[in-house]
Amino acid sequence: MRGAGLHAEEDNTSAEHLLPQDVLSSFEVINVAAPMVRYSKLPFRQLVSRYEAHITHTPMLLAQEFSRSAIARDADFSTNGEERGTFTMSEARPASAAQELDPSPEARSKLFTGRKRRVRGNMIAQFAANDGTQLADAAELVKPWVDGIDLNCGCPQKWAYHEGIGCALLRKPELVAELVRTTKQRVGWDFPVSVKIRVDQDLQLTNQLVRTAITAGADWITVHGRTRHQSSSGYPVDLDAIAFAVSCAKGDVPVVANGDVFTWEEAEETRRRCGVKGVMSARGLLANPALFAGYEKTPIAALSEFVDIATDTGLIFPLFHRHMAYMLEAHLGKKRDRMYFNSLNSHAGVIDFLDDMGFSGASAPTGLQHDLERIL
């Protein structure tokens, strides 16, 4: 677990440091980068924070391993003073009934014309756990470096289900409540704890889980609009089910919607249809880290920025290569270019490829040639 000079970035010194739930409650448009196995590590979080991702997450961490092993902590968690963004955000102001019902961009924009405030972003550590003591131990260790933790109740992988974590908790509301309560009692009731869930085929069980988690002290709920049996590739997100979960919260805590957000327009549609404060994206951000800033595909400057961040943080090549492949997908129209890129086996090779293709990112803070010189 690494953390050097947290909160030391100059741009953050004049920004308000709000709790994540207060950010979600105070502003109408909140963009959230999802926890992603392998991918949502420090370099990617730092990149998306430059492009309007207000709240970011670590990959899912196993609370048992994290709390017991310094080696696991060092391998799985790192942060720095530059990864959180700083954002100028408009307070939400009360809308008329007519504005709420009008889906047009002109009407919607009138909801976001409140007082502007400069706000620092938030970073959340997500944990998988089924034991309150282990989750509290992990939260206590990571607390100085993060803005809150999230309890994963949504991982659908078979190994996680058999271990009694992730989706295995969806029909165990009392265990979820015990996990939240035990953690709060250990690290403080003012320390943010959220819960990320999937919807249930029986929506009354979703209602029971949401209400129980809130009663136990959860500060916000994130809802993925698929059941544990529905894959992201095989089933569309159920926005009506998310909207039902939002109604279950009864306004007691904010709710974040997750699922099938690949464009800014889809983010706005999700916000409108579900009545949520925040929208989370996973696969959409992998392909386009600037999605929330309104870009249709990864801007060239972001490619160069990611090279710079990855070089600074020592991101291992396989993960660096995979990230770049996702970001370049919309740029590489020719099969031979994609095949050649996939054959590359070094940071230097990727940087040369980007330069040869004209993706040198002249508008980015540092040039690719500089990064190549540092690697060599």
Side-chain angles (χ1 to χ4, degrees):
M1 183 166 63
R2 303 187 298 278
L6 199 63
H7 311 324
E9 186 183 14
E10 282 189 2
D11 286 346
N12 281 339
T13 57
S14 62
E16 295 181 69
H17 294 195
L18 302 179
L19 297 175
Q21 62 266 35
D22 293 337
V23 172
L24 287 163
S25 298
S26 300
F27 307 100
E28 196 70 23
V29 177
I30 307 299
N31 306 317
V32 184
M36 291 178 279
V37 175
R38 293 183 300 277
Y39 293 116
S40 59
K41 291 179 177 289
L42 167 61
F44 190 70
R45 296 196 305 267
Q46 188 167 330
L47 179 66
V48 297
S49 291
R50 295 182 180 184
Y51 291 94
E52 296 300 315
H54 308 125
I55 299 174
T56 61
H57 290 76
T58 69
M60 182 182 76
L61 308 170
L62 300 178
Q64 182 178 21
E65 298 302 321
F66 192 90
S67 61
R68 290 181 177 181
S69 169
I71 295 174
R73 292 194 290 275
D74 288 338
D76 293 339
F77 179 81
S78 61
T79 186
N80 62 29
E82 300 176 359
E83 74 159 286
R84 294 166 177 81
T86 301
F87 310 96
T88 299
M89 306 175 72
S90 296
E91 291 179 335
R93 73 176 187 181
S96 67
Q99 286 174 328
E100 288 283 11
L101 294 174
D102 188 342
S104 70
E106 294 79 9
R108 297 291 296 169
S109 67
K110 293 177 182 177
L111 306 184
F112 315 139
T113 53
R115 179 170 64 97
K116 292 188 181 300
R117 296 163 64 181
R118 190 168 175 79
V119 179
R120 191 204 67 169
N122 295 122
M123 189 266 283
I124 309 299
Q126 189 191 65
F127 287 103
N130 57 16
D131 179 275
T133 299
Q134 291 172 357
L135 182 60
D137 288 344
E140 195 169 38
L141 286 165
V142 83
K143 179 180 178 180
W145 311 108
V146 302
D147 302 299
I149 69 162
D150 178 69
L151 173 62
N152 184 314
C153 301
C155 178
Q157 296 184 47
K158 288 183 179 179
W159 71 266
Y161 189 82
H162 290 314
E163 290 289 328
I165 58 178
C167 279
L169 300 178
L170 287 175
R171 293 190 172 184
K172 298 179 180 179
E174 293 307 322
L175 176 54
V176 171
E178 190 266 330
L179 290 164
V180 172
R181 276 196 301 266
T182 301
T183 301
K184 288 273 194 175
Q185 288 167 352
R186 173 80 67 81
V187 298
W189 288 92
D190 58 342
F191 181 71
V193 176
S194 64
V195 177
K196 187 174 188 292
I197 69 171
R198 284 179 172 240
V199 295
D200 199 289
Q201 292 171 274
D202 182 348
L203 287 177
Q204 290 310 310
L205 295 178
T206 297
N207 175 59
Q208 182 183 10
L209 179 59
V210 169
R211 293 309 312 167
T212 303
I214 292 172
T215 300
D219 294 292
W220 73 96
I221 307 289
T222 299
V223 183
H224 187 140
R226 293 182 176 89
T227 71
R228 79 174 183 90
H229 300 291
Q230 294 176 324
S231 67
S232 295
S233 59
Y235 295 85
V237 67
D238 188 342
L239 296 182
D240 292 334
I242 297 176
F244 174 81
V246 173
S247 71
C248 297
K250 300 179 181 179
D252 293 338
V253 300
V255 178
V256 175
N258 176 216
D260 286 0
V261 173
F262 294 94
T263 67
W264 174 249
E265 290 74 21
E266 288 172 341
E268 286 297 276
E269 176 68 4
T270 298
R271 242 182 281 275
R272 184 185 68 83
R273 287 271 306 275
C274 300
V276 292
K277 291 291 187 182
V279 167
M280 175 182 285
S281 178
R283 293 175 296 152
L285 283 176
L286 279 180
N288 177 11
L291 178 163
F292 286 133
Y295 289 87
E296 293 183 358
K297 59 184 179 180
T298 304
I300 301 304
L303 296 172
S304 187
E305 287 177 275
F306 188 69
V307 170
D308 190 51
I309 295 169
T311 303
D312 285 342
T313 56
L315 184 64
I316 61 172
F317 177 74
L319 191 52
F320 168 72
H321 191 216
R322 195 70 232 138
H323 271 298
M324 295 301 296
Y326 279 120
M327 293 184 221
L328 284 168
E329 188 171 345
H331 292 278
L332 301 181
K334 296 179 180 179
K335 183 178 180 180
R336 69 170 182 266
D337 291 334
R338 296 193 296 272
M339 291 180 64
Y340 180 74
F341 180 83
N342 289 337
S343 73
L344 298 174
N345 57 16
S346 70
H347 290 81
V350 170
I351 291 172
D352 278 341
F353 175 85
L354 295 175
D355 195 44
D356 291 343
M357 294 294 293
F359 299 151
S360 56
S363 62
T366 60
L368 295 178
Q369 183 60 39
H370 174 61
D371 293 306
L372 181 57
E373 290 170 355
R374 284 192 290 169
I375 290 172
L376 297 177

